[in-house]
């Protein structure tokens, strides 16, 4: 199906020369340039983008749409930083609205999943001035002692940067300590926009782009895989998105450590950027498609469905996305507090599988690093009844 669509794009006399040339490159698995990426953002027809992005998606993953079963722990929303787009964090002095979990409380959350088929815990939160590297190494050790096979995906580069600095350790030394404690991978948050000028306007005081990239590079060189995000649809221009992806693509050429690119749509409720309008669904789809076409060396493109809503998540699967995140009991508050589409972002595995099947894709449960665990095309959910299935 995608080859036929392609030949139509390449041979159609109504398609401009430059778009035919980009289509030929994609067809031949060649990399597109920054100028071509920008042209796609600015001028390409959405239908054309869908054909190209879907071709790449199906070449890489066929009809598979991945999901994993994880749960979140948010140790605190107290944060020393003041990112203008953040609706979630509280300064230490605004403690009434804030939370700080003890290790025991977090272990209670871990234990509440005993016997349930989760494979990953995602730990991320604000940058608390008192929760330090030793505190988190100890937490991870306790999690691993309790459930050794649970994959620990923990801490954005922003949290890591602060932890290492406070401990007077180099990035490599700090990362080795966390790895020895049981940290398996790093989530993609905190990347925002790498352009220094825009970054300075939306999150002036947290780690710089170079520092963010150095942390991920060091992790990759130590064999720790990671994800990478972009916060899009606020004051940035298309060329900033291209430059952001260019830096990721270049680092990925060196390390091959990024598993997934995750575009995060800016939501404007209750933050210092509430005056900035949100982009529409067509823009979301354009962004997914251009991301898939440009980012030729990052294997997966993830849509975070609680942020964009279930229908857009379904549509995104035709615009390059092959992975849906936010499977079960997604208790993360960073989006709900920013006005995300889904205010109670909880979807049972069965519902997620239905969502994927409704648009003709094959639901595949994966582990964090994309090993296939189960094909859910004809899965019998009744066998999970009474086995502590979530939701
Ligand atoms: O870095 C904060 C974003 C990120 C808003 O790696 C906002 O698997 C939109 O990175 N509007 C943290 N976005 C979460 C994150 C993440 C999420 C899911 C999966 C993974 C993964 C990583 O949330 C922050 C920031 O970019 N964010 N506020 C907002 N108002
Ligand atoms: Fe803190 Fe993260 Fe919010 Fe920035 S986005 S204020 S670093 S919690």
């Amino acid at each position: 199906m995608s080859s036929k669509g392609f030949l139509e794009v390449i041979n159609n006399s109504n398609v401009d020369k430059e778009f035919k040339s980009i289509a030929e490159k994609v067809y031949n698995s060649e990399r597109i340039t920054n100028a071509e990426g920008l042209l796609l953002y600015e001028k390409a027809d959405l239908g054309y983008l869908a054909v190209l992005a879907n071709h790449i998606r199906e070449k890489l993953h066929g009809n598979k749409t991945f999901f994993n079963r994880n749960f979140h722990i948010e140790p605190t929303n107290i944060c020393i930083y003041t990112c203008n787009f953040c609706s979630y964090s509280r300064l230490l002095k605004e403690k009434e609205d804030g939370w700080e979990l003890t290790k025991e409380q977090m272990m209670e959350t871990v234990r509440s999943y005993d016997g349930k088929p989760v494979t990953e815990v995602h730990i991320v939160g604000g940058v608390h001035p008192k929760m330090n590297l030793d505190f988190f190494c100890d937490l991870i050790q306790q999690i691993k002692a309790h459930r050794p096979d649970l994959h620990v995906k923990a801490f954005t580069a922003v949290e890591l940067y602060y932890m290492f600095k406070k401990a007077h350790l180099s990035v490599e030394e700090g990362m080795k300590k966390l790895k020895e404690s049981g940290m398996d991978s790093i989530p993609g948050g905190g990347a925002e926009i790498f352009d220094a000028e825009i970054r300075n306007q939306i999150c002036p005081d947290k780690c710089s782009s170079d520092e963010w990239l150095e942390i991920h590079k060091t992790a990759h060189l130590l064999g720790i895989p990671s994800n990478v995000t972009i916060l899009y649809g606020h004051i940035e221009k298309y060329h900033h998105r291209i430059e952001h992806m260019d830096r990721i693509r270049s680092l990925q050429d060196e390390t091959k450590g990024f598993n997934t690119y995750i575009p995060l749509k800016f939501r404007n409720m209750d933050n210092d950027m509430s005056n900035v309008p949100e982009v529409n669904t067509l823009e979301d789809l354009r962004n997914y498609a251009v991301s898939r076409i440009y980012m030729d060396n990052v294997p997966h493109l993830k849509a975070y469905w609680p942020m964009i809503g279930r229908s857009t998540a379904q549509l995104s699967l035709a615009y390059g996305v092959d992975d849906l995140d936010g499977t079960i009991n997604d208790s993360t508050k960073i989006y709900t507090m920013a006005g995300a589409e889904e205010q109670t972002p909880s979807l049972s595995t069965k519902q997620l599988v239905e969502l994927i099947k409704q648009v003709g894709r094959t639901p595949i449960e994966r582990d964090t690093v994309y090993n296939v665990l189960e094909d859910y095309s004809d899965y019998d959910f009744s066998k999970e009844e009474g086995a502590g299935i979530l939701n």
Side-chain angles (χ1 to χ4, degrees), residues 346-360:
S346 174
L347 206 57
S348 67
T349 306
K350 193 174 174 184
Q351 287 168 317
L352 186 77
V353 162
E354 270 317 303
L355 208 82
I356 295 168
K357 282 164 81 170
Q358 272 169 7
V359 288

Side-chain angles (χ1 to χ4, degrees), residues 85 153 187-190 192 227 231 262 265 267 302 307 335 338:
F85 54 80
K153 180 172 83 180
E192 322 309 0
N227 292 334
L231 181 68
I262 315 168
K265 176 194 180 115
R267 306 306 307 244
K302 184 192 276 195
M307 203 64 166
Y335 304 107

Side-chain angles (χ1 to χ4, degrees), residues 251-374:
L251 178 55
Q252 180 75 341
D253 279 341
E254 278 182 59
T255 65
K256 309 214 173 5
F258 291 121
N259 276 326
T260 320
Y261 184 51
I262 315 168
L264 295 171
K265 176 194 180 115
F266 165 68
R267 306 306 307 244
N268 67 6
M269 200 171 88
D270 284 337
N271 55 47
D272 289 343
M273 286 169 61
S274 291
N275 60 320
V276 177
E278 294 176 358
V279 296
N280 63 45
T281 303
L282 296 184
E283 266 304 305
D284 296 329
L285 298 176
R286 173 173 297 274
N287 190 59
Y288 284 124
V290 177
S291 303
R292 183 60 285 172
I293 297 164
Y294 183 91
M295 209 74 93
D296 63 340
N297 56 359
V298 178
H300 298 280
L301 181 64
K302 184 192 276 195
Y304 193 73
W305 71 262
M307 203 64 166
I308 52 172
R310 295 163 206 221
S311 308
T312 309
Q314 282 181 317
L315 275 172
S316 75
L317 299 180
Y319 289 79
V321 169
D322 63 278
D323 187 20
L324 292 184
D325 195 358
T327 320
I328 36 163
N329 189 25
D330 196 333
S331 55
T332 182
K333 296 192 183 67
I334 199 153
Y335 304 107
T336 46
M337 288 168 87
E341 211 63 44
E342 306 273 345
Q343 284 295 305
T344 46
S346 174
L347 206 57
S348 67
T349 306
K350 193 174 174 184
Q351 287 168 317
L352 186 77
V353 162
E354 270 317 303
L355 208 82
I356 295 168
K357 282 164 81 170
Q358 272 169 7
V359 288
R361 300 290 184 184
T362 309
I364 301 286
E365 185 185 354
R366 61 164 176 88
D367 65 11
T368 308
V369 293
Y370 292 85
N371 294 308
V372 170
L373 298 181
E374 181 92 45

Side-chain angles (χ1 to χ4, degrees), residues 368-385:
T368 308
V369 293
Y370 292 85
N371 294 308
V372 170
L373 298 181
E374 181 92 45
D375 181 335
Y376 276 72
S377 303
D378 302 305
Y379 191 76
D380 175 12
F381 280 95
S382 65
K383 73 182 182 193
E384 292 199 1
E385 270 165 25

Side-chain angles (χ1 to χ4, degrees), residues 189-233:
E192 322 309 0
I193 283 280
F194 290 143
D195 175 80
E197 227 170 273
I198 301 290
R199 194 174 184 83
N200 197 35
Q201 287 181 59
I202 66 170
C203 50
D205 50 1
K206 72 182 180 195
C207 76
S208 69
S209 306
D210 287 346
E211 287 157 349
W212 191 100
L213 288 158
E214 192 210 338
I215 285 179
H216 281 257
K217 181 175 178 173
T218 308
H220 296 173
L221 296 178
L222 291 171
I224 303 167
S226 71
N227 292 334
V228 52
T229 56
I230 181 173
L231 181 68
Y232 74 94

Side-chain angles (χ1 to χ4, degrees), residues 77 79-83 85-89 125-127 158 192 203 206 334:
N77 68 338
C79 189
I80 57 165
Y81 297 123
T82 53
C83 304
F85 54 80
C86 183
S87 319
Y88 158 93
S89 69
V127 179
V158 177
E192 322 309 0
C203 50
K206 72 182 180 195
I334 199 153

